[in-house]
Amino acid sequence: DGGITQSPKYLFRKEGQNVTLSCEQNLNHDAMYWYRQDPGQGLRLIYYSQIVNDFQKGDIAEGYSVSREKKESFPLTVTSAQKNPTAFYLCASRRGQADEQYFGPGTRLTVT
Amino acid sequence: AQTVTQSQPEMSVQEAETVTLSCTYDTSENNYYLFWYKQPPSRQMILVIRQEAYKQQNATENRFSVNFQKAAKSFSLKISDSQLGDTAMYFCAFLSNAGGTSYGKLTFGQGTILTVHP
């Protein structure tokens, strides 16, 4: 089955620690995206990548980093510089410019 | 930059009734795409319907249809014969078809929580 996987579903970390969220897709999509969702708010774009070895900052990139070494994978690292990291994180991919984005199941990150 | 506004934080409807969710957007572009996504309690984002701005005909997917008013920059979602499984948060989203920094970026509204009552 083709799709997007995110692991783990729930993640707990202590303040001051970096943490990496996994996102893998086997849809052969070129573009991949990371969003953050907070209660009562819509999705906000953190980073996106249109092609391997290239990525751009979204609207709220501060405190986050990404890499795109393989087409299938787009991991997101939440660094200790992110002031309020507790949130629900969604990964998405898209085949072409006119196509909709397909979403993974999300990872709920809690930092205490 | 584009903005998407959903002015109804919460809506409720009785099973089998019809409900309309509102969405307005702001853009200077002429060619773009609009989407409605559904996020049920499982939090999985699911595409409900899409509309190309160059098409005058409103998109329809089974019980879901849109009223796309390009001049008014309005994109409402109508759900007919509401079912309990329609209970979810619904997001309106705008996709730019322009180049540059907006390329491929989806802009989401704040969402509307829809509850379908039996």
Side-chain angles (χ1 to χ4, degrees):
Chain A
D1 284 334
I4 302 175
T5 56
Q6 291 184 246
S7 60
K9 191 172 177 64
Y10 299 97
L11 192 52
F12 298 88
R13 279 294 182 270
K14 294 289 186 187
E15 198 172 318
Q17 293 179 337
N18 291 354
V19 59
T20 297
L21 281 59
S22 166
C23 177
E24 304 278 333
Q25 55 100 357
N26 60 5
L27 300 166
N28 200 32
H29 288 175
D30 286 318
M32 297 185 74
Y33 304 81
W34 273 106
Y35 294 92
R36 172 184 172 132
Q37 186 177 21
D38 293 286
Q41 297 194 36
L43 277 66
R44 292 185 290 168
L45 183 64
I46 305 172
Y47 266 99
Y48 65 107
S49 168
Q50 306 279 23
I51 198 167
V52 175
N53 292 323
D54 186 51
F55 49 83
Q56 287 80 41
K57 292 182 180 180
D59 302 316
I60 55 164
E62 186 175 346
Y64 300 97
S65 66
V66 293
S67 63
R68 187 85 188 277
E69 297 174 3
K70 298 187 300 182
K71 189 175 187 177
E72 305 79 20
S73 178
F74 191 42
L76 173 74
T77 297
V78 184
T79 75
S80 56
Q82 169 49 235
K83 292 188 173 65
N84 190 15
T86 294
F88 186 65
Y89 291 87
L90 283 159
C91 178
S93 71
R94 175 179 58 82
R95 181 181 59 187
Q97 167 58 8
D99 296 318
E100 60 270 19
Q101 293 185 11
Y102 293 84
F103 286 83
T107 292
R108 171 70 183 175
L109 173 64
T110 302
V111 177
T112 56
Chain B
Q2 290 82 14
T3 58
V4 178
T5 302
Q6 293 178 248
S7 59
Q8 306 151 315
E10 295 187 43
M11 296 277 287
S12 64
V13 64
Q14 292 296 126
E15 201 173 3
E17 303 274 301
T18 295
V19 64
T20 298
L21 308 183
S22 301
C23 173
T24 57
Y25 58 94
D26 187 28
T27 184
S28 57
E29 297 177 22
N30 188 52
N31 192 17
Y32 47 86
Y33 306 90
L34 295 163
F35 303 89
W36 278 98
Y37 281 89
K38 165 184 176 180
Q39 189 180 40
S42 67
R43 304 199 80 172
Q44 174 73 55
M45 293 284 284
I46 301 164
L47 178 69
V48 175
I49 200 164
R50 62 175 279 160
Q51 174 81 42
E52 291 82 0
Y54 63 86
K55 289 186 178 178
Q56 292 187 341
Q57 187 173 5
N58 289 324
T60 300
E61 287 288 340
N62 300 314
R63 299 183 293 108
F64 299 88
S65 61
V66 298
N67 183 6
F68 173 48
Q69 301 290 327
K70 192 173 182 178
K73 296 179 183 173
S74 170
F75 183 61
S76 61
L77 175 70
K78 185 170 86 170
I79 305 174
S80 305
D81 185 26
S82 296
Q83 300 176 359
L84 296 178
D86 294 333
T87 292
M89 179 168 275
Y90 287 80
F91 291 98
C92 177
F94 174 100
L95 175 64
S96 169
N97 197 32
T101 58
S102 296
Y103 184 77
K105 288 175 63 176
L106 263 183
T107 302
F108 286 86
Q110 302 289 62
T112 296
I113 299 172
L114 175 68
T115 304
V116 180
H117 297 284

Coordinates of all heavy atoms in Angstrom, one line a residue, chain B residues 23-86:
Chain B
C23 N -15.9 29.9 3.9 CA -14.5 30.1 3.7 C -14.3 31.3 2.8 O -14.9 31.4 1.7 CB -13.8 28.9 3.1 SG -12.0 29.2 2.7
T24 N -13.5 32.3 3.2 CA -13.1 33.3 2.3 C -11.6 33.4 2.2 O -10.9 32.9 3.2 CB -13.6 34.7 2.7 OG1 -13.2 35.0 4.1 CG2 -15.2 34.7 2.7
Y25 N -11.1 34.0 1.2 CA -9.6 34.0 1.0 C -9.2 35.3 0.3 O -10.1 36.0 -0.2 CB -9.1 32.8 0.2 CG -9.7 32.7 -1.2 CD1 -9.1 33.2 -2.3 CD2 -11.0 32.1 -1.3 CE1 -9.7 33.2 -3.5 CE2 -11.6 32.0 -2.6 CZ -10.9 32.5 -3.7 OH -11.5 32.5 -4.9
D26 N -8.0 35.6 0.4 CA -7.5 36.9 -0.1 C -6.2 36.5 -1.0 O -5.3 35.9 -0.5 CB -7.1 37.9 1.0 CG -6.8 39.2 0.4 OD1 -7.3 39.6 -0.7 OD2 -6.1 40.0 1.0
T27 N -6.3 36.9 -2.2 CA -5.1 36.7 -3.1 C -5.2 37.7 -4.2 O -6.3 38.1 -4.6 CB -5.1 35.3 -3.6 OG1 -3.9 35.0 -4.4 CG2 -6.3 35.0 -4.5
S28 N -4.0 37.9 -4.8 CA -4.0 38.7 -6.0 C -3.8 37.9 -7.3 O -3.7 38.4 -8.4 CB -2.8 39.8 -5.9 OG -1.6 39.1 -5.7
E29 N -3.7 36.6 -7.0 CA -3.5 35.7 -8.2 C -4.8 35.4 -8.9 O -5.9 35.5 -8.3 CB -2.9 34.4 -7.7 CG -1.5 34.5 -7.0 CD -1.0 33.2 -6.5 OE1 -1.4 32.2 -6.9 OE2 -0.1 33.3 -5.6
N30 N -4.6 35.0 -10.1 CA -5.8 34.6 -10.9 C -6.0 33.1 -11.1 O -7.1 32.7 -11.2 CB -5.7 35.3 -12.3 CG -7.0 35.1 -13.1 OD1 -8.1 35.5 -12.6 ND2 -6.9 34.6 -14.3
N31 N -4.9 32.4 -11.0 CA -5.0 31.0 -11.2 C -4.5 30.3 -9.9 O -3.3 30.4 -9.5 CB -4.1 30.6 -12.4 CG -4.4 29.1 -12.8 OD1 -5.4 28.5 -12.4 ND2 -3.5 28.6 -13.6
Y32 N -5.3 29.5 -9.3 CA -4.9 28.8 -8.0 C -5.9 27.7 -7.8 O -6.8 27.4 -8.6 CB -5.0 29.8 -6.8 CG -6.3 30.7 -6.8 CD1 -7.4 30.2 -6.2 CD2 -6.3 31.9 -7.4 CE1 -8.6 30.9 -6.2 CE2 -7.5 32.7 -7.4 CZ -8.6 32.2 -6.8 OH -9.8 32.9 -6.8
Y33 N -5.7 27.0 -6.7 CA -6.5 25.8 -6.3 C -7.1 26.0 -4.9 O -6.4 26.6 -4.1 CB -5.7 24.5 -6.5 CG -5.1 24.4 -7.8 CD1 -3.8 24.8 -8.0 CD2 -5.7 23.7 -8.8 CE1 -3.2 24.7 -9.3 CE2 -5.1 23.6 -10.1 CZ -3.9 24.1 -10.3 OH -3.3 23.9 -11.5
L34 N -8.2 25.5 -4.7 CA -8.8 25.5 -3.4 C -9.2 24.1 -2.9 O -9.6 23.3 -3.8 CB -10.1 26.4 -3.4 CG -9.8 27.9 -3.6 CD1 -11.0 28.6 -4.0 CD2 -9.1 28.6 -2.4
F35 N -9.1 23.9 -1.7 CA -9.4 22.5 -1.1 C -10.2 22.6 0.1 O -10.1 23.6 0.9 CB -8.1 21.8 -0.8 CG -7.1 21.6 -2.0 CD1 -6.2 22.6 -2.2 CD2 -7.2 20.5 -2.8 CE1 -5.3 22.5 -3.2 CE2 -6.3 20.4 -3.9 CZ -5.3 21.4 -4.1
W36 N -11.0 21.6 0.4 CA -11.5 21.4 1.7 C -10.9 20.0 2.2 O -11.0 19.0 1.5 CB -13.0 21.3 1.7 CG -13.7 22.6 1.7 CD1 -14.2 23.3 0.7 CD2 -14.0 23.4 2.9 NE1 -14.7 24.5 1.1 CE2 -14.6 24.6 2.4 CE3 -13.7 23.3 4.2 CZ2 -15.0 25.6 3.3 CZ3 -14.1 24.3 5.1 CH2 -14.8 25.4 4.6
Y37 N -10.4 20.1 3.4 CA -9.9 18.9 4.1 C -10.7 18.6 5.3 O -11.2 19.6 6.0 CB -8.4 19.1 4.5 CG -7.4 18.9 3.4 CD1 -7.0 20.0 2.6 CD2 -6.8 17.6 3.2 CE1 -6.0 19.8 1.7 CE2 -5.9 17.5 2.2 CZ -5.5 18.5 1.4 OH -4.5 18.4 0.4
K38 N -10.8 17.4 5.7 CA -11.5 17.0 6.9 C -10.5 16.3 7.8 O -9.7 15.5 7.4 CB -12.6 15.9 6.4 CG -13.2 15.1 7.5 CD -14.2 14.1 6.9 CE -14.8 13.2 7.9 NZ -15.7 12.2 7.3
Q39 N -10.6 16.6 9.1 CA -9.8 16.0 10.1 C -10.7 15.5 11.2 O -11.1 16.2 12.1 CB -8.8 17.0 10.7 CG -7.8 16.4 11.6 CD -6.8 17.4 12.2 OE1 -7.1 18.5 12.6 NE2 -5.5 17.0 12.3
P40 N -11.0 14.2 11.2 CA -11.8 13.5 12.2 C -11.0 13.4 13.5 O -9.9 13.8 13.6 CB -12.1 12.2 11.6 CG -11.0 11.9 10.6 CD -10.6 13.3 10.1
P41 N -11.7 12.9 14.5 CA -11.0 12.7 15.8 C -9.7 11.9 15.7 O -8.8 12.1 16.6 CB -12.0 12.0 16.7 CG -13.3 12.4 16.1 CD -13.1 12.6 14.6
S42 N -9.5 11.1 14.7 CA -8.3 10.3 14.6 C -7.1 11.3 14.2 O -5.9 10.9 14.2 CB -8.4 9.3 13.5 OG -8.6 9.9 12.2
R43 N -7.4 12.5 13.7 CA -6.5 13.6 13.3 C -5.9 13.3 12.0 O -5.0 14.1 11.6 CB -5.4 13.8 14.4 CG -6.1 14.1 15.8 CD -5.1 14.8 16.7 NE -5.0 16.2 16.4 CZ -4.3 17.1 17.2 NH1 -3.8 16.7 18.3 NH2 -4.2 18.3 16.9
Q44 N -6.3 12.3 11.3 CA -5.8 12.1 9.9 C -6.5 13.1 9.0 O -7.7 13.2 8.9 CB -6.2 10.7 9.4 CG -5.8 10.4 8.0 CD -4.3 10.2 7.8 OE1 -3.7 9.4 8.4 NE2 -3.8 11.0 6.8
M45 N -5.7 13.8 8.2 CA -6.2 14.8 7.3 C -6.6 14.1 6.0 O -5.8 13.4 5.4 CB -5.1 15.8 7.0 CG -4.8 16.7 8.1 SD -6.0 18.0 8.5 CE -5.7 19.1 7.1
I46 N -7.9 14.3 5.6 CA -8.5 13.7 4.5 C -9.0 14.7 3.5 O -9.7 15.6 3.9 CB -9.6 12.8 4.9 CG1 -9.1 11.7 5.9 CG2 -10.3 12.1 3.7 CD1 -10.2 11.0 6.7
L47 N -8.6 14.6 2.2 CA -9.1 15.5 1.2 C -10.6 15.2 1.0 O -11.0 14.1 0.8 CB -8.3 15.4 -0.1 CG -8.8 16.3 -1.2 CD1 -8.5 17.7 -0.9 CD2 -8.2 15.8 -2.5
V48 N -11.4 16.3 1.0 CA -12.8 16.2 0.8 C -13.2 16.5 -0.7 O -13.8 15.8 -1.4 CB -13.6 17.1 1.7 CG1 -15.1 17.1 1.4 CG2 -13.4 16.7 3.2
I49 N -12.6 17.7 -1.1 CA -13.0 18.2 -2.4 C -12.0 19.3 -2.9 O -11.3 19.9 -2.0 CB -14.4 18.8 -2.4 CG1 -15.0 18.9 -3.8 CG2 -14.5 20.1 -1.6 CD1 -16.5 19.1 -3.8
R50 N -11.8 19.4 -4.2 CA -10.9 20.4 -4.7 C -11.6 21.2 -5.8 O -12.5 20.7 -6.5 CB -9.6 19.8 -5.2 CG -9.8 18.8 -6.3 CD -8.4 18.3 -6.9 NE -7.9 19.3 -7.8 CZ -6.6 19.3 -8.1 NH1 -5.7 18.5 -7.5 NH2 -6.1 20.2 -8.9
Q51 N -11.1 22.4 -6.0 CA -11.6 23.3 -7.0 C -10.5 24.0 -7.7 O -9.7 24.6 -7.0 CB -12.6 24.3 -6.4 CG -13.1 25.4 -7.3 CD -14.3 24.9 -8.2 OE1 -15.2 24.2 -7.7 NE2 -14.3 25.2 -9.4
E52 N -10.5 24.0 -9.0 CA -9.5 24.8 -9.8 C -10.1 26.2 -10.1 O -11.3 26.3 -10.5 CB -9.2 24.2 -11.1 CG -8.3 22.9 -11.0 CD -9.2 21.6 -10.7 OE1 -10.4 21.8 -10.6 OE2 -8.6 20.6 -10.6
A53 N -9.4 27.2 -9.8 CA -9.9 28.6 -10.0 C -10.4 28.9 -11.4 O -11.3 29.7 -11.6 CB -8.9 29.6 -9.5
Y54 N -9.8 28.2 -12.4 CA -10.1 28.5 -13.8 C -11.4 27.9 -14.2 O -11.9 28.2 -15.3 CB -8.9 28.1 -14.7 CG -8.6 26.7 -14.7 CD1 -9.3 25.8 -15.6 CD2 -7.6 26.1 -13.9 CE1 -9.0 24.4 -15.6 CE2 -7.3 24.8 -13.9 CZ -8.0 24.0 -14.8 OH -7.7 22.6 -14.8
K55 N -11.9 27.0 -13.4 CA -13.1 26.3 -13.7 C -14.3 27.0 -13.1 O -14.3 27.3 -11.9 CB -13.1 24.9 -13.2 CG -12.2 23.9 -14.0 CD -12.3 22.5 -13.5 CE -11.4 21.6 -14.3 NZ -11.5 20.2 -13.8
Q56 N -15.3 27.3 -13.9 CA -16.5 28.0 -13.4 C -17.4 27.1 -12.7 O -18.2 27.5 -11.8 CB -17.2 28.8 -14.5 CG -16.4 29.9 -15.1 CD -17.2 30.8 -16.1 OE1 -18.2 30.3 -16.6 NE2 -16.8 32.0 -16.3
Q57 N -17.4 25.8 -13.1 CA -18.3 24.9 -12.6 C -17.9 24.5 -11.2 O -16.7 24.2 -10.9 CB -18.4 23.6 -13.4 CG -19.4 22.6 -13.0 CD -19.6 21.5 -14.0 OE1 -18.8 21.4 -15.0 NE2 -20.5 20.6 -13.8
N58 N -18.9 24.5 -10.2 CA -18.6 24.1 -8.9 C -18.3 22.6 -8.8 O -19.0 21.8 -9.4 CB -19.8 24.4 -8.0 CG -19.9 25.9 -7.8 OD1 -18.9 26.7 -7.7 ND2 -21.1 26.4 -7.7
A59 N -17.3 22.2 -8.0 CA -16.9 20.8 -7.8 C -18.0 20.1 -6.9 O -18.6 20.7 -6.0 CB -15.5 20.7 -7.2
T60 N -18.1 18.8 -7.2 CA -19.1 18.0 -6.4 C -18.4 16.6 -6.2 O -17.8 16.1 -7.1 CB -20.4 17.8 -7.1 OG1 -21.0 19.1 -7.3 CG2 -21.4 17.0 -6.4
E61 N -18.6 16.1 -5.0 CA -18.1 14.8 -4.7 C -19.2 14.1 -3.8 O -19.2 14.3 -2.6 CB -16.8 14.8 -3.9 CG -15.6 15.1 -4.8 CD -15.2 14.0 -5.7 OE1 -15.6 12.8 -5.5 OE2 -14.4 14.3 -6.7
N62 N -20.1 13.4 -4.4 CA -21.1 12.7 -3.7 C -21.9 13.7 -2.9 O -22.6 14.6 -3.4 CB -20.5 11.6 -2.8 CG -19.8 10.6 -3.6 OD1 -20.3 10.1 -4.6 ND2 -18.6 10.2 -3.2
R63 N -21.9 13.6 -1.6 CA -22.8 14.5 -0.7 C -22.1 15.9 -0.5 O -22.7 16.8 0.1 CB -23.0 13.9 0.6 CG -23.8 12.5 0.6 CD -24.0 12.0 2.0 NE -22.8 11.6 2.6 CZ -22.3 12.2 3.7 NH1 -22.8 13.3 4.1 NH2 -21.1 11.8 4.2
F64 N -20.9 16.0 -1.0 CA -20.1 17.3 -0.7 C -20.1 18.1 -2.0 O -19.8 17.6 -3.1 CB -18.7 17.0 -0.3 CG -18.6 16.2 1.0 CD1 -18.7 14.8 1.0 CD2 -18.5 16.8 2.2 CE1 -18.6 14.1 2.1 CE2 -18.5 16.1 3.4 CZ -18.5 14.7 3.3
S65 N -20.4 19.4 -1.9 CA -20.3 20.3 -3.0 C -19.8 21.6 -2.5 O -19.9 21.9 -1.3 CB -21.7 20.4 -3.7 OG -22.6 21.0 -2.8
V66 N -19.3 22.4 -3.5 CA -18.8 23.7 -3.1 C -19.6 24.8 -3.9 O -20.2 24.5 -4.9 CB -17.3 23.9 -3.4 CG1 -16.5 22.9 -2.6 CG2 -17.0 23.8 -4.9
N67 N -19.6 26.0 -3.3 CA -20.1 27.2 -4.0 C -18.9 28.1 -4.1 O -18.5 28.8 -3.2 CB -21.2 27.8 -3.2 CG -21.8 29.0 -3.9 OD1 -21.4 29.3 -5.1 ND2 -22.7 29.8 -3.3
F68 N -18.3 28.1 -5.3 CA -17.1 28.9 -5.6 C -17.5 30.2 -6.2 O -18.0 30.2 -7.3 CB -16.1 28.1 -6.5 CG -14.9 28.8 -6.9 CD1 -14.2 29.6 -6.0 CD2 -14.6 28.8 -8.3 CE1 -13.0 30.2 -6.5 CE2 -13.4 29.5 -8.7 CZ -12.7 30.2 -7.8
Q69 N -17.2 31.3 -5.6 CA -17.5 32.6 -6.1 C -16.2 33.4 -6.2 O -15.7 34.0 -5.2 CB -18.4 33.4 -5.1 CG -19.8 32.7 -4.9 CD -20.7 32.8 -6.1 OE1 -20.6 33.7 -6.8 NE2 -21.5 31.7 -6.2
K70 N -15.6 33.3 -7.4 CA -14.2 33.8 -7.6 C -14.1 35.3 -7.3 O -13.2 35.8 -6.7 CB -13.7 33.5 -9.0 CG -12.2 33.8 -9.2 CD -11.8 33.3 -10.5 CE -10.2 33.5 -10.7 NZ -9.7 33.0 -12.0
A71 N -15.1 36.1 -7.8 CA -15.0 37.5 -7.7 C -15.1 37.9 -6.2 O -14.5 38.8 -5.7 CB -16.1 38.2 -8.5
A72 N -15.9 37.2 -5.5 CA -16.1 37.5 -4.0 C -15.1 36.8 -3.2 O -15.0 37.0 -2.0 CB -17.5 37.0 -3.6
K73 N -14.2 35.9 -3.8 CA -13.2 35.2 -3.1 C -13.8 34.4 -2.0 O -13.4 34.4 -0.8 CB -12.1 36.1 -2.6 CG -11.3 36.7 -3.8 CD -10.2 37.7 -3.3 CE -9.6 38.3 -4.6 NZ -8.6 39.4 -4.2
S74 N -14.8 33.6 -2.3 CA -15.6 32.8 -1.4 C -15.6 31.4 -1.8 O -15.7 31.1 -3.0 CB -17.0 33.4 -1.2 OG -17.8 32.5 -0.5
F75 N -15.5 30.4 -0.9 CA -15.4 29.0 -1.3 C -16.1 28.2 -0.1 O -15.4 27.7 0.7 CB -13.9 28.6 -1.4 CG -13.7 27.2 -1.8 CD1 -14.2 26.7 -3.0 CD2 -12.9 26.4 -1.0 CE1 -13.9 25.4 -3.4 CE2 -12.7 25.1 -1.4 CZ -13.2 24.6 -2.6
S76 N -17.4 28.1 -0.2 CA -18.1 27.4 0.9 C -18.3 26.0 0.5 O -18.4 25.6 -0.6 CB -19.5 28.1 1.2 OG -20.3 28.1 0.0
L77 N -18.4 25.1 1.6 CA -18.6 23.7 1.5 C -20.0 23.3 2.0 O -20.4 23.7 3.1 CB -17.6 22.9 2.3 CG -17.8 21.4 2.4 CD1 -17.5 20.8 1.0 CD2 -16.9 20.8 3.4
K78 N -20.8 22.7 1.1 CA -22.1 22.2 1.5 C -22.1 20.7 1.7 O -21.6 20.0 0.8 CB -23.2 22.6 0.5 CG -24.6 22.2 0.9 CD -25.6 22.8 0.0 CE -25.9 21.9 -1.2 NZ -27.1 22.3 -2.0
I79 N -22.5 20.2 2.8 CA -22.6 18.8 3.1 C -24.1 18.5 3.2 O -24.9 19.0 4.0 CB -22.0 18.4 4.4 CG1 -20.5 18.9 4.4 CG2 -22.0 16.9 4.7 CD1 -19.8 18.7 5.8
S80 N -24.6 17.6 2.3 CA -26.0 17.2 2.2 C -26.1 15.9 2.9 O -25.2 15.1 3.0 CB -26.4 17.1 0.8 OG -26.2 18.3 0.1
D81 N -27.3 15.6 3.5 CA -27.6 14.4 4.1 C -26.5 14.0 5.1 O -25.9 13.0 5.0 CB -27.8 13.3 3.0 CG -28.2 11.9 3.6 OD1 -28.8 11.9 4.7 OD2 -27.8 10.9 3.0
S82 N -26.3 14.9 6.0 CA -25.2 14.8 7.0 C -25.2 13.4 7.7 O -26.3 13.0 8.1 CB -25.2 15.9 8.0 OG -25.0 17.2 7.4
Q83 N -24.1 12.9 7.9 CA -24.0 11.6 8.6 C -23.1 11.8 9.9 O -22.3 12.7 9.9 CB -23.3 10.5 7.7 CG -24.2 10.3 6.4 CD -23.5 9.3 5.5 OE1 -22.4 8.8 5.7 NE2 -24.2 9.1 4.3
L84 N -23.3 10.9 10.8 CA -22.5 10.9 12.1 C -21.0 10.9 11.8 O -20.2 11.6 12.5 CB -22.8 9.8 13.0 CG -24.3 9.8 13.5 CD1 -24.6 8.6 14.4 CD2 -24.6 11.1 14.2
G85 N -20.6 10.2 10.7 CA -19.2 10.1 10.4 C -18.6 11.4 9.8 O -17.4 11.5 9.6
D86 N -19.5 12.4 9.5 CA -19.0 13.7 9.0 C -18.5 14.6 10.2 O -17.9 15.6 9.9 CB -20.1 14.4 8.3 CG -20.6 13.7 7.0 OD1 -19.8 13.0 6.4 OD2 -21.8 13.9 6.7

